[in-house]
Amino acid sequence: MKAVVFDGKSLTLKYDENYPMPTIVNDTDVIVKVEYSGVCGTDLHIIQGEFPASKERPLPLGHEFSGVVHQVGRRSIFKVGQKVVVDPNRACNLCNFCRDGKYQYCLTGGKDTIIGIWRDGGWAQYVRCPEDQVFALPEGMTTEQGGLCEPYSCITHGFDRVSPLPVGTKILIIGAGIIGNLWITTLHVQGHRDVTVSEMNKSRLDIVKGLNTGYRLITPDVLGVEKQLYDVIVDCTGVGKVMEISFKYLNYGGKYILFGCCPPTHQASLNPFDIYSKELTLIGVKINPFSFPKAIGLLKAMGDRYLNYEKLGIKTYPLSSYQDALNDLKTGKISKAVFKIE
């Protein structure tokens, strides 16, 4: 089968037309025929050697994907032909974190099981998945929309972490890549209107403008001049220095959501006195524990109004054009690249 394969030892990618097809191993396995598979910022960090991934053997990346059930084990609850999405993350289910319902903190289960990072992922025509990581899409939802389920599941976890978030809260979104755009659409569909979006790339601000939310769109230099304070700040850049600067714009009692995937080498200096005197809250958001059902519900509610690929700045590519996809993403021409797999 066709796949884009990552070699963790040499940090290289290649397009392989003869990658081995997956086969059923366990009675509850599901083989998914992939239709849409996203390129995440984490993938870029992995390719650049900034984020850990498997080095045992070359394998397809891709932890955001949707498709159709192609084959199932004899005890699986799924049926061939069902439209599905896949949660790439799982847990050991034995440690105290997992048994307390917080598998995002698991120190063992995730390390060698995450689909698309430690196991064969969705940058391929077919993927073998444990059925407990597979979710059926509801009637009326397309696999194109479902291709956004994994990043939206992370957003829903972040939303839960920052809640309560009353309508009328003064919110600042920093970074208008795809994650910023998904936060923008999530806030808008839930009634938030006092939202400012800061992005240095003006072409990305134009993409946000096309979402027709009416949100205030500015460049980062405006933040420094205005010195306005915000009740909630969502960092979608994953850049330590950006956090260091923007943390100063929190209002008394404010909450700062560190959402962008920040490389382990980044550092940021914060003033503890400010945290104390203003009673500030710093919220980290890691993956998507048990939030896929919420994300599917959110996607169903959003529909075409918010999930239009073109309006979100998403461009689709065949697997063979993976280099074009990565280049366009790095230059900021698009907010997200998604492989549309035939």
Side-chain angles (χ1 to χ4, degrees):
M1 67 172 180
K2 299 173 183 177
V4 175
V5 180
F6 173 69
D7 187 330
K9 292 181 179 178
S10 61
L11 301 180
T12 56
L13 287 173
K14 74 171 183 177
Y15 175 63
D16 188 345
E17 292 187 318
N18 296 296
Y19 193 79
M21 273 281 294
T23 57
I24 297 292
V25 176
N26 303 303
D27 288 344
T28 53
D29 282 346
V30 176
I31 293 179
V32 176
K33 183 180 185 296
V34 182
E35 294 191 352
Y36 292 89
S37 186
V39 180
C40 176
T42 303
D43 294 319
L44 298 182
H45 289 311
I46 289 171
I47 295 165
Q48 293 163 5
E50 299 171 334
F51 195 87
S54 176
K55 294 183 180 180
E56 289 186 6
R57 60 178 176 83
L59 52 73
L61 295 180
H63 58 274
E64 306 174 356
F65 61 96
S66 61
V68 175
V69 175
H70 174 71
Q71 188 180 357
V72 296
R74 63 185 182 87
R75 293 176 54 207
S76 175
I77 65 171
F78 289 93
K79 306 297 182 185
V80 173
Q82 279 185 289
K83 292 182 293 184
V84 294
V85 290
V86 175
D87 183 351
N89 302 300
R90 65 181 299 120
C92 72
N93 295 318
L94 295 172
C95 71
N96 288 338
F97 291 130
C98 291
R99 291 185 171 186
D100 195 30
K102 301 171 182 175
Y103 73 75
Q104 70 269 36
Y105 308 144
C106 180
L107 301 176
T108 57
K111 180 165 175 52
D112 56 1
T113 60
I114 300 174
I115 296 173
I117 295 180
W118 298 94
R119 294 175 49 190
D120 288 25
W123 292 3
Q125 290 179 294
Y126 299 88
V127 186
R128 179 173 67 88
C129 311
E131 73 169 2
D132 60 0
Q133 291 176 252
V134 180
F135 293 78
L137 289 175
E139 194 69 32
M141 188 180 295
T142 65
T143 53
E144 181 178 44
Q145 294 170 338
L148 297 173
C149 193
E150 195 279 341
Y152 266 117
S153 72
C154 297
I155 302 288
T156 57
H157 175 47
F159 203 91
D160 286 345
R161 293 271 286 142
V162 74
S163 294
L165 193 59
V167 171
T169 301
K170 192 178 183 66
I171 301 171
L172 171 64
I173 305 291
I174 303 176
I178 188 59
I179 289 300
N181 292 353
L182 300 191
W183 268 101
I184 288 164
T185 50
T186 299
L187 292 170
H188 194 267
V189 76
Q190 301 203 38
H192 290 274
R193 295 297 181 266
D194 193 356
V195 178
T196 297
V197 181
S198 172
E199 167 61 52
M200 63 188 302
N201 186 324
K202 292 187 177 181
S203 64
R204 287 191 167 180
L205 285 180
D206 287 338
I207 292 172
V208 178
K209 191 180 296 183
L211 292 172
N212 297 317
T213 60
Y215 289 169
R216 192 172 73 113
L217 311 180
I218 61 173
T219 50
D221 56 301
V222 176
L223 291 174
V225 173
E226 290 182 338
K227 297 183 180 177
Q228 284 195 38
L229 299 181
Y230 297 85
D231 303 317
V232 172
I233 297 177
V234 186
D235 176 74
C236 301
T237 68
V239 178
K241 200 65 181 177
V242 171
M243 178 198 171
E244 181 178 297
I245 295 170
S246 56
F247 198 78
K248 300 172 185 177
Y249 304 137
L250 269 183
N251 204 352
Y252 285 81
K255 300 176 182 178
Y256 193 103
I257 308 174
L258 187 58
F259 194 90
C261 182
C262 191
T265 55
H266 285 209
Q267 299 292 325
S269 296
L270 305 179
N271 188 326
F273 181 80
D274 285 343
I275 298 173
Y276 151 75
S277 65
K278 296 170 74 172
E279 290 196 339
L280 304 179
T281 302
L282 175 59
I283 300 172
V285 180
K286 184 181 181 184
I287 65 170
N288 53 350
F290 303 111
S291 57
F292 250 67
K294 292 179 182 179
I296 291 172
L298 178 61
L299 290 170
K300 188 174 181 180
M302 295 176 105
D304 292 336
R305 162 66 179 91
Y306 295 98
L307 302 179
N308 180 285
Y309 272 27
E310 185 176 355
K311 287 184 178 180
L312 286 167
I314 300 172
K315 185 177 178 180
T316 60
Y317 302 80
L319 286 171
S320 57
S321 298
Y322 74 91
Q323 197 61 64
D324 291 337
L326 295 178
N327 290 340
D328 288 349
L329 196 56
K330 289 175 183 177
T331 59
K333 291 181 179 179
I334 56 176
S335 66
K336 187 174 185 64
V338 171
F339 294 120
K340 185 176 181 180
I341 302 173
E342 301 298 332

